[in-house]
Amino acid sequence: MSDVRHVLVLPDRDAAEEAAQALGERFGLDEEPRLLRDALAGEDDAEDAQWLVVLRDEKERLDPGELDEFAGEWEGWREEP
């Protein structure tokens, strides 16, 4: 098995939480995605933060294009490795 991870970048916490829940429903994930706050260096304002949804894909069954389209539904994108 490989250690493939996908990272979806979303504009706020609400979008990240909704997307993480919908990911499991749409793609039938084996484990729950992780949510991480990503703020620019020196920025403490929550409005300047992006939220990352990180999901493991050890079986490499998730299509990157579908994940990118999925993230776009929340005005986000899939980060290229």
Side-chain angles (χ1 to χ4, degrees):
M1 283 199 216
S2 67
D3 189 28
V4 174
R5 293 178 194 270
H6 299 282
V7 177
L8 306 182
V9 182
L10 298 162
D12 57 51
R13 183 181 188 145
D14 290 339
E17 289 174 345
E18 289 175 23
Q21 182 177 2
L23 274 166
E25 294 168 4
R26 187 177 301 180
F27 296 100
L29 301 179
D30 294 333
E31 68 180 67
E32 192 171 320
R34 293 184 56 208
L35 298 178
L36 302 168
R37 182 176 179 266
D38 182 36
L40 299 172
E43 296 291 335
D44 291 328
D45 189 351
E47 292 181 22
D48 292 328
Q50 295 175 326
W51 284 80
L52 308 179
V53 178
V54 180
L55 55 147
R56 290 176 34 178
D57 185 19
E58 293 175 345
K59 298 176 185 172
E60 296 185 49
R61 62 183 182 87
L62 300 173
D63 179 84
E66 287 182 32
L67 289 173
D68 199 26
E69 191 175 303
F70 175 85
E73 295 174 19
W74 281 272
E75 299 180 18
W77 65 90
R78 184 184 61 85
E79 192 71 25
E80 289 292 330

